[in-house]
Amino acid sequence: MRHLKLFLICFLFAAPALAQQFGQWSWQANVRAGGRSYENTSQGQVLSQYQEQVLGLAFNLNGFLVHPAIARFNLGLDLVFSRYPKGMAVDNNRTGFSLRLGLLPESAYPLELFASRSRFDYQGLADLPAFTFAGTPEQTTSWGGRLRFRHGLLAGALLGFDASTIRFLEGSKTQDEKRAFFDWSGSGQRLQHHLRLDHQDRSYGVLGLRYRDVTATWDSHGNFTPTTRWDLSLSGLQREFGRGGSSYVQSSLRQNLTHQTPSSWVLSAFYAGGFAQSEGSEASVTHDLSLRAQRSFTGGFDLGVDVGAARQQAGDYSTQAPRLGLTASYQRQGKLGQLALSAATALGRLTQEGPDQRATSSYASTSAGLTLRSGSPQVLQGELELAYAKNKLRQAAEDVGPQPEPQALLALGTEDNRRARLTLRRNLGAVQLSAFSDWWQRETTPTWNLPRLESKTLTHTLQAGFPVGNLAINVGQSQYFAVRKQELAYFSGVLSLRPFHFLGLTLSHRQDRRRLPGEPWLDSKRQEVAMTGYLGAYQLQLRLYWLEDRWNLGAPREDRGLTWTVSRSMGGWLPIITAPVRRGVIR
């Protein structure tokens, strides 16, 4: 009862705001009441029901230490009281504290630290069997920091770290998540650089699962001279996942150096390298180097010659392929739009070597592309892109499906790929329409004892924007054929409306189909209706959802749920002022 009285007092009354002054402390508070309920059924039988009523109070204090340029802080208190019908769950109170501290926010090296802790107090646990509260959290803790470099050798860098831990009632097992990153962007007189390092470690002690990712990316772009440009892209990923600690590593390198001569020749040197290895399989390494000379002629024609060589290595198997090719392109801008055509062909010698075997053969590779742009959004603007390549040498560390298999990561031999993309745009008064379709197919040539690999991806997107809302529809399907078939498909539609300034509506529908090896097949549907309303200082949120999961193993399951929240936010200034203006500004 005392919790309800506190809630009503804060919910109905708010303190008046004062005029802000430099260095003045402030406060914010949010009072909310809500509830949620859901019902889980299978083949018409009710499996479980759940109801919860929640009262919450959040309070935040913003202030300064010594001077606003020295330190700023935000201190938060969050109280949540959850109640359930008898037998559904255990009543509990959650008390949370948070602190965010900013040191030297206007300096060359601002530092931000944050930490929070929440503890659950359950009522009547001593009278319940141990299995009742299996997987029930007792305490959550999170902390981290950000350090930004505005000057010095690392100017433009951001260093960050996050960590969170959930401790459960039944034992010593915890759920831990850690993330550290380093992000740096800088530029010299000629080049622009970007470096990103990420480390993520997630451990689910209750389930015995662990996921660990280490990623690194480096990009450099720029002009050495007005006629010489260099582009470099490097990426790497190391991933561990599952109960047994399965892992794989992949990395790729792309660089392109171009130079334009006064006689309209464009000289370029391109290199692409890749590395991929899955636990229990051989490492796959690829190198591809090409030198190209291209000349522009009047009328929009370009002709060029290409000399290159490629090498693939996977365990005891290797492939070498020197080649000589020709390239041609044509561009034209007319009244109906812009047209661009490109074509390339190459002849080479393919040498494949393995244990006690060697094969040499001639091969020809071809590629072609077409891009057509026409119209304007006021009438109809369209863009069509077509690309085709045959006998293209494979590269390691390329996408091979949601669950990479050891055989699929081995990049040996050649592949054929085809791609098409259509873009349409149209403006109808205040309504803006956009549609996108993308199709991509890849198929490899079997080499030695490696299987045939094939992947197909088809996606469609429709977007509409109008004065009172927007609509987005997405449809997609991906299929991967290696040792085992993998298939993912989805459909989603979201309609967001804001008919009045005090009312917002969101309607969504999503369907998924998942066919992955080693996992049960799943077909799922989810429908949701969400509403947000405003009345003065009060906010109402209402959400209804329906979920259906159908597995190839076991009976289908349906979930229906409702959540609602009524809240009020308030705030004001406190009669506490740190470092008024007469004390000057600290630089």
Side-chain angles (χ1 to χ4, degrees):
M1 182 60 68
R2 64 179 185 276
H3 299 149
L4 181 60
K5 292 180 179 180
L6 175 63
F7 167 79
L8 291 176
I9 293 174
C10 298
F11 191 77
L12 298 176
F13 303 98
L18 304 176
Q20 179 187 9
Q21 299 185 39
F22 179 78
Q24 188 170 4
W25 293 25
S26 63
W27 65 274
Q28 294 91 32
N30 179 271
V31 186
R32 61 190 183 277
R36 61 173 176 161
S37 61
Y38 71 80
E39 182 181 73
N40 178 259
T41 62
S42 178
Q43 297 180 333
Q45 300 294 323
V46 178
L47 301 180
S48 62
Q49 291 180 325
Y50 181 87
Q51 294 181 5
E52 178 186 20
Q53 288 80 41
V54 175
L55 296 178
L57 171 63
F59 180 82
N60 288 274
L61 175 65
N62 303 298
F64 309 93
L65 301 177
V66 183
H67 190 280
I70 297 294
R72 304 174 180 178
F73 71 89
N74 176 282
L75 184 63
L77 171 65
D78 190 15
L79 302 176
V80 179
F81 311 101
S82 301
R83 298 296 180 262
Y84 311 88
K86 186 176 181 180
M88 284 192 176
V90 180
D91 294 347
N92 65 83
N93 302 329
R94 178 169 63 86
T95 304
F97 300 93
S98 63
L99 174 64
R100 185 174 291 270
L101 179 64
L103 300 176
L104 303 177
E106 307 299 332
S107 71
Y109 309 101
L111 174 64
E112 184 178 11
L113 302 174
F114 49 88
S116 64
R117 171 172 289 186
S118 296
R119 186 172 181 84
F120 295 84
D121 179 20
Y122 297 93
Q123 303 177 11
L125 282 182
D127 302 329
L128 299 176
F131 67 85
T132 304
F133 47 84
T136 302
E138 179 184 23
Q139 179 176 287
T140 63
T141 305
S142 64
W143 61 281
R146 302 285 187 272
L147 176 62
R148 188 176 296 276
F149 298 82
R150 292 174 175 162
H151 298 286
L153 182 63
L154 297 177
L158 176 64
L159 179 65
F161 178 79
D162 300 316
S164 64
T165 300
I166 301 178
R167 192 175 69 193
F168 300 95
L169 288 172
E170 68 272 16
S172 58
K173 293 184 178 181
T174 61
Q175 176 177 314
D176 301 290
E177 295 190 22
K178 296 179 181 179
R179 174 175 175 260
F181 69 90
F182 178 81
D183 191 289
W184 174 76
S185 297
S187 60
Q189 296 181 349
R190 296 180 176 88
L191 297 178
Q192 295 181 344
H193 311 282
H194 179 248
L195 171 66
R196 176 81 181 191
L197 303 175
D198 271 286
H199 177 272
Q200 292 185 344
D201 195 338
R202 293 169 292 171
S203 175
Y204 304 93
V206 176
L207 302 176
L209 297 176
R210 183 182 181 184
Y211 300 87
R212 180 176 177 267
D213 286 351
V214 179
T215 60
T217 58
W218 172 274
D219 295 286
S220 293
H221 308 278
N223 297 323
F224 291 117
T225 67
T227 58
T228 304
R229 179 174 177 82
W230 185 50
D231 296 282
L232 173 69
S233 178
L234 175 66
S235 65
L237 166 65
Q238 180 182 6
R239 172 167 295 172
E240 297 178 5
F241 56 93
R243 291 184 174 87
S246 301
S247 65
Y248 68 91
V249 180
Q250 63 183 45
S251 61
S252 63
L253 170 65
R254 301 286 188 275
Q255 84 85 33
N256 189 37
L257 179 65
T258 60
H259 174 71
Q260 185 173 2
T261 66
S263 56
S264 299
W265 281 92
V266 177
L267 308 177
S268 62
F270 174 79
Y271 171 79
F275 174 87
Q277 184 176 20
S278 177
E279 185 176 6
S281 69
E282 301 286 353
S284 181
V285 182
T286 60
H287 305 278
D288 192 339
L289 175 65
S290 65
L291 303 176
R292 176 179 297 181
Q294 187 170 327
R295 174 76 184 274
S296 299
F297 299 90
T298 58
F301 289 95
D302 290 341
L303 296 177
V305 60
D306 181 275
V307 178
R311 177 177 174 83
Q312 304 166 333
Q313 180 75 41
D316 297 329
Y317 298 90
S318 64
T319 302
Q320 297 84 31
R323 65 182 182 274
L324 174 64
L326 298 175
T327 62
S329 63
Y330 171 73
Q331 294 186 10
R332 181 176 181 179
Q333 179 70 45
K335 295 181 179 179
L336 298 179
Q338 181 180 0
L339 173 66
L341 298 172
S342 64
T345 182
L347 299 176
R349 195 71 174 170
L350 191 66
T351 301
Q352 299 175 327
E353 298 181 357
D356 302 325
Q357 49 187 327
R358 176 186 174 91
T360 302
S361 61
S362 299
Y363 84 100
S365 64
T366 58
S367 63
L370 178 147
T371 301
L372 177 63
R373 300 182 181 92
S374 179
S376 65
Q378 283 68 30
V379 182
L380 179 63
Q381 184 182 62
E383 180 175 344
L384 175 64
E385 299 177 55
L386 301 175
Y388 169 80
K390 184 176 181 59
N391 284 339
K392 176 186 174 183
L393 290 170
R394 294 194 64 205
Q395 296 289 333
E398 291 188 343
D399 182 28
V400 289
Q403 291 187 353
E405 298 177 286
Q407 296 88 342
L409 289 172
L410 298 180
L412 287 176
T414 62
E415 70 175 25
D416 302 338
N417 60 62
R418 293 166 287 274
R419 185 168 187 175
R421 179 176 176 85
L422 175 64
T423 303
L424 298 174
R425 292 184 175 89
R426 176 74 186 273
N427 294 343
L428 299 174
V431 179
Q432 299 177 348
L433 300 175
S434 301
F436 310 91
S437 292
D438 202 337
W439 172 74
W440 188 19
Q441 182 178 10
R442 297 169 56 191
E443 183 178 351
T444 68
T445 302
T447 303
W448 302 118
N449 60 341
L450 296 180
R452 169 179 166 270
L453 307 176
E454 183 179 357
S455 64
K456 299 179 182 179
T457 301
L458 178 63
T459 59
H460 303 287
T461 300
L462 173 64
Q463 297 176 347
F466 37 92
V468 296
N470 56 76
L471 171 68
I473 298 176
N474 296 277
V475 183
Q477 182 180 25
S478 298
Q479 294 180 332
Y480 302 86
F481 304 89
V483 179
R484 295 172 292 181
K485 180 180 178 180
Q486 305 179 41
E487 181 180 357
L488 300 173
Y490 66 90
F491 169 85
S492 67
V494 179
L495 175 63
S496 300
L497 298 174
R498 193 69 182 267
F500 308 101
H501 70 279
F502 56 85
L503 179 63
L505 296 172
T506 301
L507 309 176
S508 65
H509 174 82
R510 182 177 178 92
Q511 293 182 220
D512 288 275
R513 184 173 74 249
R514 187 174 66 195
R515 305 289 189 268
L516 298 180
E519 296 185 9
W521 291 4
L522 172 65
D523 292 281
S524 66
K525 297 179 182 179
R526 182 182 179 92
Q527 297 173 349
E528 184 173 316
V529 179
M531 183 193 73
T532 302
Y534 302 89
L535 181 60
Y538 301 94
Q539 181 186 58
L540 170 64
Q541 292 180 316
L542 180 66
R543 184 171 67 95
L544 300 138
Y545 69 89
W546 173 76
L547 174 66
E548 181 185 23
D549 290 335
R550 292 185 176 273
W551 311 83
N552 64 329
L553 301 176
R557 187 185 67 185
E558 294 183 4
D559 290 334
R560 297 181 179 88
L562 164 69
T563 64
W564 64 272
T565 303
V566 180
S567 63
R568 180 178 183 181
S569 298
M570 58 200 79
W573 303 100
L574 297 174
I576 303 175
I577 300 176
T578 302
V581 177
R582 65 175 181 271
R583 295 182 59 179
V585 177
I586 297 178
R587 299 186 182 277

